[in-house]
Amino acid sequence: MDIQRLEFQQPMWGGVNVLRIGDTLVDTGHVRSTDAVREALDGGLAGVERVLLTHPHIDHVGGSQTVDAIADLPHVGFEGVPSIVHGYADYLREARADMTRLLSGLGATESQWDVYFPVDGSYHQDRIAFEREVGDGETVRIGDYELETVHTPGHSAQHAAFWHEPSGTCLSGDLVSENGHFMYAPLYCDIDDYKRSLRRLRALSPDRLVPMHGPEMTDPRERIDDCLAKAEATAAELRSWLDERGRFFAREFARESFGADGAAVGFLTLVVHEYATHLAEQGACSVAVTGDGVELSR
Ligand SMILES: [Zn+2]
């Protein structure tokens, strides 16, 4: 499968990919990458005629929300994607409020969020032209190829991967991360779904994974196994902290167990919160979110 990968910078958290496959664009970058994406329309993205979205996050639908020429292209996305994209300002406000709440105690400032979640931006929203909302198992055309839609919730409930069996290629969105850890995202993420989706992808036995952050992976089965092993190890480690300490803050676990420092502490605190929620559902702990932070207790 012939795939051109363009990488754009997003604020705070590194690069994000936009894929060009024939006449089709897969995802459209962060809303802060607008200028770079617009420039690319005269170069690597010239002649693009349609857009496929892997999921509706701010770093994947930015060009659609901010670049006229992209908003007007026919879009395809999984069930639920159009309604989020069409109500984008509200969605961003909600997502930002959720992250702010979970990161209290870490000194995240409004100005930081203004950079990542510009809620005052004027977005194209309703104007974005969806030609189709696809469901699990349905075929989508990407360039000259036909791919199967694989609903893969976890990172986002509306997340889909796209599978091209003849070449063993899977466009895996944000399901399989570069470092093998679960990627938190606001509002609609879920650890159980994440593990189920990883197993589903693993069962396809892909030879090539093309994620939306970082370079493609040529050892996908090992990478997926690593993700699954890390998910189990993280839950087990949290359980042993609960046994030994009784109560602790998610950020302490992020620092000591994940070895996070600097900006990574915040991001990994959100990851820990998601695992904590998962353990709480199994009755293994309680989770309190207060002005002091996210606290887990036995
Ligand atoms: Zn995402």
Side-chain angles (χ1 to χ4, degrees):
M1 226 184 143
D2 211 4
I3 301 172
Q4 184 190 353
R5 177 171 80 96
L6 289 94
E7 189 173 37
F8 296 93
Q9 287 310 304
Q10 55 165 338
M12 291 159 80
W13 288 312
V16 60
N17 298 334
V18 167
L19 308 176
R20 161 104 196 242
I21 302 171
D23 67 356
T24 306
L25 209 58
V26 180
D27 289 354
T28 62
H30 192 279
V31 295
R32 290 284 189 202
S33 320
T34 300
D35 291 342
V37 170
R38 196 184 282 122
E39 225 166 86
L41 289 174
D42 294 326
L45 299 184
V48 162
E49 282 172 19
R50 49 207 300 280
V51 173
L52 175 78
L53 298 174
T54 60
H55 63 296
H57 286 158
I58 191 164
D59 48 337
H60 298 264
V61 304
S64 309
Q65 292 289 359
T66 55
V67 180
D68 294 11
I70 293 180
D72 293 339
L73 295 174
H75 279 59
V76 175
F78 192 73
E79 290 159 1
V81 170
S83 73
I84 289 178
V85 165
H86 287 156
Y88 219 60
D90 289 340
Y91 166 72
L92 285 187
R93 258 188 292 274
E94 229 184 297
R96 175 171 160 154
D98 194 48
M99 285 180 81
T100 304
R101 183 180 72 91
L102 294 175
L103 287 179
S104 52
L106 275 170
T109 63
E110 283 299 308
S111 62
Q112 263 177 304
W113 296 129
D114 286 341
V115 173
Y116 197 78
F117 285 120
V119 286
D120 53 349
S122 57
Y123 298 122
H124 288 321
Q125 301 215 109
D126 270 338
R127 172 176 156 187
I128 297 169
F130 275 90
E131 69 168 10
R132 195 175 156 208
E133 193 166 359
V134 286
D136 186 52
E138 290 183 23
T139 300
V140 290
R141 178 176 75 78
I142 305 181
D144 294 333
Y145 307 96
E146 299 215 317
L147 284 81
E148 182 189 337
T149 306
V150 186
H151 184 211
T152 37
H155 171 72
S156 151
Q158 300 80 15
H159 185 286
F162 299 95
W163 169 233
H164 186 244
E165 193 174 8
S167 66
T169 304
C170 184
L171 311 182
S172 53
D174 282 2
L175 182 65
V176 181
S177 73
E178 262 189 295
N179 65 12
H181 282 296
F182 172 69
M183 263 192 274
Y184 163 86
L187 302 183
Y188 305 115
C189 64
D190 184 283
I191 295 283
D192 259 336
D193 283 347
Y194 167 65
K195 291 195 287 187
R196 261 194 295 274
S197 293
L198 285 171
R199 285 191 206 103
R200 191 165 173 205
L201 220 58
R202 181 69 175 81
L204 297 173
S205 199
D207 294 315
R208 180 187 184 198
L209 276 194
V210 186
M212 295 313 291
H213 298 278
E216 69 172 73
M217 302 173 182
T218 50
D219 53 350
R221 297 182 292 268
E222 290 82 352
R223 302 294 281 259
I224 297 168
D225 287 344
D226 178 49
C227 287
L228 283 164
K230 282 189 168 125
E232 294 311 325
T234 302
E237 178 79 359
L238 277 169
R239 283 176 185 274
S240 85
W241 273 49
L242 285 162
D243 282 345
E244 286 159 21
R245 305 189 185 198
R247 65 171 58 227
F248 57 90
F249 284 102
R251 61 176 177 270
E252 297 175 292
F253 189 91
R255 286 201 178 95
E256 291 175 45
S257 182
F258 287 149
D261 57 12
V265 176
F267 186 71
L268 289 170
T269 293
L270 298 166
V271 173
V272 175
H273 171 264
E274 216 43 53
Y275 277 100
T277 305
H278 171 62
L279 288 176
E281 281 162 10
Q282 300 167 354
C285 70
S286 309
V287 186
V289 181
T290 68
D292 293 330
V294 176
E295 193 176 26
L296 289 73
S297 58
R298 232 181 349 229

